[in-house]
Amino acid sequence: MPARRPPKLVVGNWKMFGTRRSSAEVRTLVRLLGLKRPHCEVVICPPAVLLPPFRQINRGSRLKLGGQDCHPLTQGAHTGDISAEMLKDAGAGYVIVGHSERREAYRETDQMVAQKAQAALRAGLHPIVCIGETAEQNEAGHTLDVLTRQLERSLPDLLDATEHAAFTIAYEPVWAIGTGRIPSPAQIEEIHGEIRRALQKRLGLQAAKSRVIYGGSVKASNARAILNLAEVDGALVGGASLKATDFAAIVYSIN
Ligand code: PGA
């Protein structure tokens, strides 16, 4: 029997925005999610220091929390870093790894991303592994090659061995992040289909448990067209996740 696809997943990536005053937005989001059951799981990934206060607000609600990055090791002399175990302890159930902003600003390689995803699984967090081509790679027609390579190298070996490990791939074209430009629905379908085929090749039946979500300039105005595509299992939302009403509109655009 073919494994059932998991429910869709909408993740808000707050990046380096928000303070404890943002608790008001989280309260609004929790209230909105309480009004009607969404057709997806809903996660926000605030800066790690906000996990403990937000955990007080989301308790018992439909909203889940995640981190934006983690160190590969459990603990150690790594000034400024946060481990997956620490995120879990602070209330996270998910963690984004390999976001293009980190790949670029901190020269994170696919190998480092794989180590972080492995750390997430070890800590019992659900890793959201980001991949995506740059504008230059896209224009040169190298999109699928780049994505296949990133996918192969950014996933930890542990995944092959861990039968029940759930994880998510976020396809985020770098040129679509924060720019208002997005690939056409047909392009998104094609690329997600290719990513899923690559996952199946690597993981076999187990790939059915993973999700392929889209990220890059997702807003309330375009969410319906993207999130209801057959190959799209959800979205990673940056800017539009900061305001509860905008984010909820994206969440409820899923049929
Ligand atoms: P954006 O960011 O929605 O603001 O384009 C998406 C992301 O970087 O994850």
Side-chain angles (χ1 to χ4, degrees), residues 35-80:
L35 296 177
K36 188 175 128 197
R37 178 181 291 279
H39 296 143
C40 61
E41 287 176 19
V42 186
V43 180
I44 56 167
C45 300
V49 289
L50 293 178
L51 289 171
F54 289 2
R55 173 191 217 172
Q56 303 298 323
I57 302 169
N58 86 322
R59 200 161 268 160
S61 81
R62 294 190 172 121
L63 179 66
K64 294 170 187 163
L65 298 174
Q68 298 177 12
D69 176 49
C70 65
H71 192 277
L73 299 176
T74 308
Q75 58 180 13
H78 303 284
T79 304

Side-chain angles (χ1 to χ4, degrees), residues 13 15 99 101 172 176-179 215-218 236-240:
N13 173 11
K15 308 192 180 185
H99 191 281
E101 285 156 13
E172 296 206 300
I177 295 175
T179 60
S217 294
V218 175
L236 181 53
V237 185

Side-chain angles (χ1 to χ4, degrees), residues 177-242:
I177 295 175
T179 60
R181 291 172 58 210
I182 50 169
S184 70
Q187 283 167 333
I188 295 176
E189 279 285 76
E190 187 201 336
I191 289 170
H192 280 224
E194 290 292 338
I195 293 171
R196 208 178 297 283
R197 269 187 286 283
L199 286 175
Q200 271 155 4
K201 222 167 103 188
R202 164 132 176 210
L203 302 169
L205 282 179
Q206 202 203 320
K209 290 201 299 282
S210 60
R211 299 178 177 103
V212 185
I213 66 175
Y214 170 81
S217 294
V218 175
K219 301 181 184 57
S221 56
N222 60 23
R224 194 168 294 278
I226 299 170
L227 280 162
N228 293 303
L229 294 169
E231 294 286 354
V232 174
D233 296 319
L236 181 53
V237 185
S241 70
L242 291 167

